[in-house]
Amino acid sequence: MFPFRFTPNPARSREVNALSPALDLASALVVLPGPRAGAADAERAEPLRAPDARDLFERGPVLVAHAAMTARRLALHPPQRSPRTFDALELFAFVRPAKFCAPSAAGLAQTLGLPEPKGAPAQARALRQACLLLLEELARTPQPNREEALAQAETLARGGWAWGAAVIGALRSAPVGNAFRGSGLDVWSRIPEWEDQAPPGEAGSRPIAGPEAAQRLSELLHRAGLDEARPAQAEFASEAAYAFQPREKEGEPRMMLAEAGTGIGKTMGYLAPASLWAEANGPAVWVSTYTRALQRQIERESHAIYPDEKTRARKAVVRKGRENYLCLLNLQDAVNAAQLGNGDLVGLTLAARWARASRDGDMTGGDFPAWLPTLFGLPTPMQASAANLVDRRGECVHAGCQHYRTCFVEKAIRGSRRADLVIANHALVLTQAAFDGARAARGSKADSETAHLKRLVFDEGHHLFEAADSAFSAAISGAEAAELRRWLRGPEGRGRRGRGLEARLMDVLGDPDEAKRALLAALHAAAALPGEGWSGRIAPATGEVNPIGAIEAFLVAVLEQLRARAAPSEVGMECAARPALDLVRDTAREAAAALARIEAPLLALARHLEDLLDAEAATLGPSERARIEGALRGLDRRARMTLPAWRSMLRAIDEDAEDDPDFVDWFDATFLYGRVVDAACRRHWVDPTEPLTNAVIAPAHGVLVTSATLADPGLDDPFALAEMRTGAARLPDRPKTLKLASPFDYAANARAFVVTDVGKEDPRQVAAAMRELFLAAGGGGLGLFTAIRRLRAVHERIAGPLADKGLALYAQHVDALEVGALVDIFRAEQDACLLGTDAVRDGVDVPGRSLRLLVFDRVPWPRPDILHKARRVRFGGKGYDDSIARGRIAQAFGRLIRRADDKGVFVMLDAAAPTRLFSSLPPGVEIQRMGLVEAIEATAEFLKADAPGQTAPED
């Protein structure tokens, strides 16, 4: 049969020619996993064989959604931008900056209100239609205004952007002024400035009664258009008011642990008393989550409290760490370089348009499209990505920056000080509390972000233990030590913009030579830290090791001990730190001395800056004061926290001291593509709730910890483990507890099977089982794995067969998209399937038919590493393992049924899975053990009634 090809047709619709001559020439191409391809022009849409799709993609002109992902599915390298490759996602990013879209043809269609297209040809047709709708929208209502958009479009056209002519044509379809004579890229000059306000003062103590909270909940539901009465939600709101009562003794907060099953509506349940308390007492209630997705969900639900957009922006502030926000100085430097030909001008222009429209400048989980830098094959240093545009390296000059008054980070910090609700995350709350606590212990009077943490809500509270473990730990690794060197000395080789400590501080040190001598001494001593190319020197792919400096020599010795005592795995290796090799002890001693030579002058410098703030309080301007305070925060974190912790760890290794029962010390190495890329010495608390309680829980007045899977029904006291893992067990009195079951009819809407005849160690059997289960469900399947290697092996075997039946398969660690974008695509395509690991299990919120089958490859036991084994001894032996596995299974099952009308099947492909692990599943769900054939038939039968129609295989 003659290969299917598209040729230009001059007799196309008037509408297309008016808006985009490019679309008259470019055929739309969609390649689904498998690969299965389809193409469309203005007249027809047809399937394509992979070779023909490859030819169309390479020769162009072609219209795609995500060029790099399309190329990979055709076994091609990600393409460079060219005037012949039109990526619809770039057009979307221009027309609708800071708006959400799943990065696929189906995702575009859904966002623009089109019916979900089924199969590659239909998606190709929808892709053309979506682009026409976007161009029409741009012609009618360009954002933020026609003049600015046109200036940016003309800049892009000069840079060779494929969409340049089409976008300019759409913008010039209406009269346009000439307000912009430049590139339009200087968006930092048009971002509103923040304004400081008087300190809010201490929070009040007016109690919130249960009936008040229930009444507020009723009002919020009515405003949100949700008038359906949910007694359990009203009970949750009423009981949660306990955490908003005045405490009676210092160090004894009103603490409550509340499990609310899926469908209770716990978010609105705790926002009701929280908003009442903030209005009566403020500031502020901090709501902390584990995932970025839930932060945004809570912010959206706060619309019922603050319907007015401007009021909500002021009253409900999303707060993250500094490393999440766009740095305008980085953006300006990158834009200037790109205009001179050294950078991605197109990507940076689209990022600049996003910055102008963004609510808060959040590049990681906010309204920045994370897929944008990945559309074409660009070198990582050139991408307009979070990695290159946020302040990750502590190089901020604070008030010394020309964009200080428009800085997104400073805006968020100031906003959180006067907000009613601060929607933060566990990592920020705990790391900042650790830092503020350390400063307070030294008598520092500096203002702290966590000084006002009086009322706290920890949502996703089952992750609080892991968050504390991360926040209160220490690690000296090649990457961490190299980062410290860069913070001190600035960039010494190729790389992005950076300013060392000398450039940030020298002009504010004043006259004393001793302060400058201390600074220069610290910079000189920092040469002992790993520099450019350190990873290749400590673990070269070929040749001998060649460490430079005491830290690199120590890491080489650590690798010697690891090779001698550890068994490599697919991700790395680890061993106990003690007893240490003589080589490790000798190099640890030298490394500790090298760190001391850095620490001493940094401490002297910090003391000088503190004296400067005191002695010149009457003459220091706001800018100079802010710069000094910013530098002091950095010095405190590194010279008074990080360096002493590192030296303490090294001293314990040198002395071969007995193990401290409160801590676990170990060495590990990280692998990438089978070779060592880093080594580390780590120290963790066996029980991180001790510092958690001291720094966060005990100082608060009221703490609510909530989750859908907080209690463990496998224990005599279901909340005993939760009390231990949240710090509640360390308080004088037991916390108040509440357990509310989900209102869903699980007996009617869910099935749970354990398959008894699949060999979990044989990837072929696991792959075959998943393939047939996904086909039986007609798609909508989520496969969960406990190892990346097994995930990839299964994906390789089943992607093609599923594609032959019209089912697209996406996979974490295979597809070149972050997990959030993959979940977005999975949610948008009702019959797609997805493979993932822990991040997918904890972060999926996919109501409806898009997720109707969940398959575990095996029981998600905790990995028996050195740290876990120490905790298992401390917290209950094998019962501790059981509790963790039960919680993970319950969390995964909770992803399956999100609404009252959802139906779903849960399958465990591990015949050895103990029945006791499933006691955490909702009432009404009974585990049935059966063979694979029976499970396939039962899955198909149960989901058949829910299916609107079978997905037909593509020809």
Side-chain angles (χ1 to χ4, degrees):
M1 181 178 177
F2 189 76
F4 175 79
R5 296 185 185 278
F6 284 94
T7 55
N9 181 352
R12 299 281 167 82
S13 71
R14 227 173 278 163
E15 179 183 47
V16 175
N17 286 323
L19 284 176
S20 176
L23 286 182
D24 190 37
L25 300 174
S27 302
L29 171 67
V30 168
V31 182
L32 298 177
R36 303 288 288 185
D41 62 9
E43 296 175 344
R44 55 183 176 157
E46 295 185 28
L48 277 186
R49 297 185 304 116
D52 296 326
R54 192 176 295 114
D55 183 58
L56 174 61
F57 183 80
E58 288 187 303
R59 297 177 66 178
V62 64
L63 170 65
V64 295
H66 209 298
M69 191 159 60
T70 303
R72 286 189 178 93
R73 288 176 183 160
L74 293 171
L76 300 171
H77 292 296
Q80 301 295 313
R81 276 201 189 85
S82 84
R84 299 176 66 81
T85 304
F86 297 81
D87 199 310
L89 293 171
E90 284 194 333
L91 178 62
F92 180 88
F94 188 95
V95 177
R96 292 190 179 184
K99 300 298 183 184
F100 171 79
C101 175
S104 67
L108 276 166
Q110 186 179 77
T111 299
L112 295 172
L114 299 173
E116 181 193 349
K118 302 282 189 177
Q123 289 193 24
R125 183 188 297 111
L127 187 60
R128 289 182 54 83
Q129 190 176 357
C131 290
L132 288 171
L133 290 174
L134 286 170
L135 289 169
E136 290 172 3
E137 181 179 325
L138 182 64
R140 291 193 311 271
T141 54
Q143 302 296 325
N145 56 66
R146 195 172 298 274
E147 291 78 11
E148 182 172 341
L150 180 60
Q152 293 161 342
E154 290 175 338
T155 298
L156 288 170
R158 290 192 295 270
W161 190 37
W163 288 108
V167 167
I168 290 171
L171 290 168
R172 289 196 177 278
S173 63
V176 58
N178 193 24
F180 285 82
R181 299 182 182 277
S183 66
L185 301 187
D186 56 339
V187 294
W188 45 83
S189 66
R190 296 185 293 281
I191 293 175
E193 294 186 352
W194 52 261
E195 294 182 358
D196 239 337
Q197 294 188 5
E202 287 295 316
S205 298
R206 177 184 175 274
I208 301 302
E212 281 185 278
Q215 178 59 36
R216 168 57 64 93
L217 173 66
S218 177
E219 295 168 3
L220 297 181
L221 294 175
H222 180 72
R223 288 183 205 166
L226 302 171
D227 293 327
E228 177 188 358
R230 287 193 279 181
Q233 187 181 34
E235 182 182 356
F236 183 95
S238 180
E239 295 294 327
Y242 172 84
F244 298 94
Q245 307 300 308
R247 69 177 182 180
E248 296 182 358
K249 289 183 181 179
E250 183 182 10
E252 298 183 18
R254 297 274 188 168
M255 189 163 184
M256 180 176 181
L257 306 181
E259 176 174 293
T262 306
I264 293 292
K266 68 179 184 301
T267 301
M268 201 69 83
Y270 62 65
L271 287 181
S275 60
L276 276 174
W277 187 90
E279 289 171 11
N281 299 291
V285 176
W286 281 60
V287 178
S288 179
T289 75
Y290 188 69
T291 59
R292 298 165 179 165
L294 186 56
Q295 275 187 277
R296 288 293 165 185
Q297 178 185 323
I298 294 169
E299 190 275 329
R300 288 193 297 270
E301 294 204 30
S302 71
H303 177 82
I305 309 172
Y306 315 111
D308 179 72
E309 185 72 27
K310 291 183 178 178
T311 301
R312 188 164 84 259
R314 188 176 71 254
K315 294 282 192 180
V317 173
V318 174
R319 184 76 177 88
K320 295 184 178 181
R322 179 176 292 272
E323 68 280 1
N324 292 278
Y325 296 93
L326 172 70
C327 169
L328 292 171
L329 189 56
N330 279 346
L331 177 64
Q332 181 180 4
D333 287 352
V335 163
N336 290 341
Q339 288 180 295
L340 296 174
N342 185 24
D344 177 21
L345 181 63
V346 174
L348 287 164
T349 302
L350 296 175
R353 282 184 61 76
W354 164 80
R356 183 87 157 87
S358 175
R359 182 179 186 270
D360 53 12
D362 179 3
M363 295 193 78
T364 59
D367 50 21
F368 180 75
W371 40 258
L372 184 58
T374 69
L375 299 182
F376 290 91
L378 294 164
T380 300
M382 291 180 61
Q383 292 178 354
S385 65
N388 295 322
L389 295 178
V390 303
D391 171 30
R392 288 192 184 278
R393 295 182 163 89
E395 60 198 16
C396 180
V397 294
H398 299 279
C401 176
Q402 59 187 309
H403 304 305
Y404 183 64
R405 299 288 304 181
T406 53
C407 174
F408 287 115
V409 177
E410 297 296 332
K411 196 176 295 185
I413 291 172
R414 281 157 179 78
S416 67
R417 289 173 179 167
R418 64 175 185 268
D420 281 3
L421 297 174
V422 180
I423 306 164
N425 55 67
H426 298 348
L428 171 69
V429 170
L430 301 188
T431 54
Q432 192 63 44
F435 176 60
D436 290 342
R439 298 190 88 189
R442 292 190 301 273
S444 172
K445 297 182 175 61
D447 187 29
S448 72
E449 280 202 65
T450 55
H452 303 296
L453 289 183
K454 304 302 182 187
R455 304 288 168 174
L456 276 160
V457 177
F458 286 109
D459 203 340
E460 298 179 301
H462 59 285
H463 283 301
L464 192 53
F465 187 89
E466 287 79 9
D469 181 40
S470 177
F472 298 106
S473 62
I476 175 170
S477 68
E480 292 285 338
E483 191 66 34
L484 175 59
R485 174 174 175 143
R486 195 180 194 282
W487 183 80
L488 289 165
R489 295 170 66 103
E492 298 170 282
R494 62 186 182 278
R496 69 183 180 97
R497 175 192 72 83
R499 292 173 176 82
L501 199 57
E502 182 177 8
R504 298 197 298 273
L505 278 183
M506 190 61 82
D507 62 334
V508 297
L509 287 179
D511 296 329
D513 289 339
E514 58 202 57
K516 296 177 182 176
R517 282 196 299 270
L519 173 58
L520 295 176
L523 300 182
H524 177 73
L529 297 168
E532 288 284 325
W534 61 268
S535 183
R537 289 193 294 273
I538 69 168
T542 58
E544 296 183 358
V545 297
N546 182 32
I548 299 176
I551 307 302
E552 290 185 21
F554 170 68
L555 296 176
V556 168
V558 165
L559 286 171
E560 284 293 316
Q561 181 162 323
L562 283 164
R563 292 188 182 103
R565 299 178 181 173
S569 71
E570 62 180 300
V571 294
M573 51 186 172
E574 65 174 26
C575 72
R578 289 182 291 277
L581 298 177
D582 289 343
L583 177 63
V584 172
R585 294 176 60 194
D586 293 342
T587 54
R589 187 181 314 121
E590 293 168 4
L595 294 178
R597 289 191 289 271
I598 302 171
E599 182 183 331
L602 288 181
L603 289 173
L605 180 61
R607 287 192 293 270
H608 170 75
L609 292 175
E610 290 166 343
D611 292 343
L612 191 64
L613 285 176
D614 186 19
E616 300 187 18
T619 58
L620 278 176
S623 176
E624 290 81 3
R625 176 175 291 278
R627 288 180 65 186
I628 292 171
E629 289 176 344
L632 273 174
R633 286 194 292 272
L635 286 168
D636 269 354
R637 191 176 296 279
R638 293 164 178 85
R640 288 171 171 155
M641 293 181 68
T642 300
L643 286 170
W646 287 359
R647 287 197 303 106
S648 174
M649 294 161 63
L650 293 169
R651 185 172 61 251
I653 293 167
D654 175 25
E655 297 171 354
D656 224 8
E658 290 186 11
D659 291 341
D660 187 325
D662 288 331
F663 296 96
V664 180
D665 293 350
W666 77 96
F667 298 150
D668 70 19
T670 305
F671 290 2
L672 183 63
Y673 301 119
R675 66 173 294 260
V676 174
V677 293
D678 201 358
C681 173
R682 302 186 185 276
R683 169 172 285 183
H684 284 235
W685 286 82
V686 175
D687 184 358
T689 64
E690 181 173 335
L692 167 66
T693 303
N694 294 336
V696 181
I697 304 297
H701 289 216
V703 180
L704 170 64
V705 181
T706 186
S707 167
T709 56
L710 203 57
D712 183 354
L715 302 177
D716 292 337
D717 179 353
F719 281 96
L721 186 63
E723 290 183 36
M724 183 279 294
R725 289 173 63 87
T726 60
R730 293 182 175 275
L731 298 176
D733 296 323
R734 292 198 66 182
K736 180 183 177 68
T737 60
L738 176 69
K739 181 175 172 61
L740 297 172
S742 171
F744 299 151
D745 185 355
Y746 287 100
N749 292 348
R751 295 291 182 269
F753 308 136
V754 173
V755 175
T756 57
D757 57 355
V758 170
K760 66 181 179 183
E761 302 298 338
D762 185 346
R764 291 172 300 178
Q765 291 191 44
V766 174
M770 283 207 179
R771 180 193 68 222
E772 295 306 318
L773 286 165
F774 286 173
L775 289 172
L782 172 61
L784 293 177
F785 293 80
T786 56
I788 297 171
R789 171 179 48 83
R790 292 196 297 272
L791 181 155
R792 287 173 171 157
V794 169
H795 176 270
E796 183 179 351
R797 286 176 168 85
I798 71 174
L802 289 180
D804 290 341
K805 299 296 184 180
L807 302 183
L809 178 68
Y810 302 95
Q812 185 190 8
H813 304 294
V814 176
D815 290 303
L817 284 173
E818 66 159 7
V819 65
L822 288 174
V823 172
D824 291 337
I825 295 173
F826 179 59
R827 184 186 297 111
E829 301 177 18
Q830 277 199 357
D831 297 326
C833 297
L834 175 65
L835 306 180
T837 56
D838 288 359
V840 177
R841 182 192 69 221
D842 292 330
V844 174
D845 183 19
V846 184
R849 294 193 71 255
S850 293
L851 175 53
R852 52 191 180 270
L853 170 67
L854 189 149
V855 185
F856 262 110
D857 78 320
R858 62 182 61 198
V859 171
W861 295 112
R863 192 166 73 92
D865 56 24
I866 289 173
L867 180 59
H868 175 75
K869 286 192 285 188
R871 287 176 175 159
R872 180 164 55 194
V873 171
R874 175 76 63 92
F875 300 134
K878 295 179 180 178
Y880 182 62
D881 289 345
D882 286 357
S883 292
I884 291 175
R886 268 194 296 269
R888 291 174 177 176
I889 289 172
Q891 272 294 313
F893 187 90
R895 307 298 97 192
L896 191 58
I897 307 292
R898 308 298 291 171
R899 302 186 311 208
D901 58 349
D902 281 356
K903 293 187 70 173
V905 175
F906 173 98
V907 180
M908 175 70 71
L909 298 177
D910 188 344
T915 301
R916 65 181 183 273
L917 298 185
F918 301 102
S919 61
S920 59
L921 297 184
V925 178
E926 293 186 6
I927 288 291
Q928 302 176 58
R929 295 180 180 270
M930 60 184 64
L932 177 61
V933 171
E934 191 178 352
I936 292 168
E937 293 173 349
T939 297
E941 180 64 28
F942 181 70
L943 295 177
K944 181 174 63 177
D946 189 47
Q950 294 295 320
T951 301
E954 295 177 19
D955 297 328

